[in-house]
Amino acid sequence: MIYEIETIHLALRGVPEYIELFSETVERRQAISRVVGFFHCDIGELNRIMQIWEYEDTAHRDTAQAELAKQPWWPPDARHFIQKKKSRLMQTAQFLPRPRTENLGNVYEVRTYVGQPGKLEDVIQHWTDLLPGREKLSPCAAFFHDAPGPNGEWGYMHFWPYRDLNHRTETRANSSKANWPPGTIPYARAVVESQVSEIWVPASFSPMH
């Protein structure tokens, strides 16, 4: 599977209107390819929507896009307040091969990292070793990473659902007992270039919820 993570920047206070427009087409859109997550940013840069689409491979994505181009109802008619879009094609790791689409939380912490060139396998191995202990505290809903680029550049995103922000604070206060985050400080600095943490809220129709 591959996953397209699309971030849409909207005009000021455009989130409720976009969610309403999307909700009118989501069932028809799901018949062509599956949305596994739909969120809006609550803490971080505001007026953004994030959609996560699942495809079998790039050929499946191309076929779905061609079919969508024929549909008069797609995309939702939000051109008047969409400012820009950004899309990333990502994949999962073996330790969490599919996003969890259970009812896991009311808020999601989404952590977006830029990895150091050549360190993808190191990061995946540390996650493979240590995630089971961390998940005794709370589940990881998804882990996505880029394929390394021509100069070895890559990034990854992980999604952590919580009941609320108090639950997040309590869980993170205990994470050191699970030897988390992975590795020592020198190790982390050797494999990660930058980190961003944001809070996103799932829509009522989002499978990741």
Side-chain angles (χ1 to χ4, degrees):
M1 293 291 182
I2 61 171
Y3 294 86
E4 182 172 16
I5 300 179
E6 184 177 36
T7 306
I8 302 173
H9 295 247
L10 303 171
L12 185 68
R13 299 180 182 176
V15 166
E17 184 176 357
Y18 188 88
I19 291 176
E20 178 63 28
L21 288 169
F22 190 94
S23 69
E24 295 170 0
T25 64
V26 64
E27 290 188 11
R28 287 175 288 179
R29 180 63 179 83
Q30 289 274 46
I32 295 174
S33 66
R34 182 178 179 230
V35 60
V36 297
F38 188 106
F39 304 86
H40 75 268
C41 188
D42 194 53
I43 299 178
E45 184 181 353
L46 302 179
N47 304 300
R48 286 183 299 156
I49 293 289
M50 179 166 52
Q51 302 167 176
I52 306 173
W53 302 98
E54 182 180 74
Y55 300 100
E56 295 175 10
D57 49 32
T58 54
H60 179 209
R61 179 179 180 273
D62 291 344
T63 299
Q65 293 297 319
E67 181 63 26
L68 286 167
K70 303 174 186 177
Q71 308 304 324
W73 45 265
W74 188 263
D77 189 13
R79 291 166 293 179
H80 58 293
F81 63 99
I82 290 179
Q83 296 182 334
K84 61 180 179 179
K85 298 180 180 181
K86 181 180 179 180
S87 182
R88 297 174 71 175
L89 285 180
M90 307 187 82
Q91 59 197 70
T92 59
Q94 190 59 41
F95 60 78
L96 190 53
R98 300 286 288 271
R100 290 181 169 132
T101 54
E102 310 154 54
N103 186 5
L104 296 176
N106 300 312
V107 297
Y108 278 65
E109 181 179 14
V110 179
R111 300 179 70 90
T112 304
Y113 292 7
V114 175
Q116 297 282 6
K119 299 298 184 178
L120 172 58
E121 294 304 322
D122 286 352
V123 169
I124 288 178
Q125 186 60 57
H126 265 72
W127 274 70
T128 300
D129 294 342
L130 298 176
L131 184 60
R134 170 60 178 82
E135 288 201 301
K136 292 177 181 178
L137 301 177
S138 72
C140 181
F143 178 101
F144 303 108
H145 68 87
D146 297 314
N151 297 315
E153 68 274 15
W154 67 286
Y156 60 110
M157 302 175 70
H158 33 116
F159 290 65
W160 299 91
Y162 298 102
R163 292 189 303 273
D164 51 35
L165 294 180
N166 287 333
H167 181 211
R168 174 188 178 272
T169 299
E170 294 165 4
T171 301
R172 289 182 60 82
N174 290 316
S175 62
S176 62
K177 299 175 184 177
N179 197 23
W180 196 269
T184 62
I185 290 176
Y187 164 81
R189 291 174 179 171
V191 300
V192 174
E193 184 176 309
S194 65
Q195 303 168 300
V196 175
S197 176
E198 300 170 322
I199 298 298
W200 293 74
V201 177
S204 60
F205 51 78
S206 174
M208 291 176 65
H209 200 281

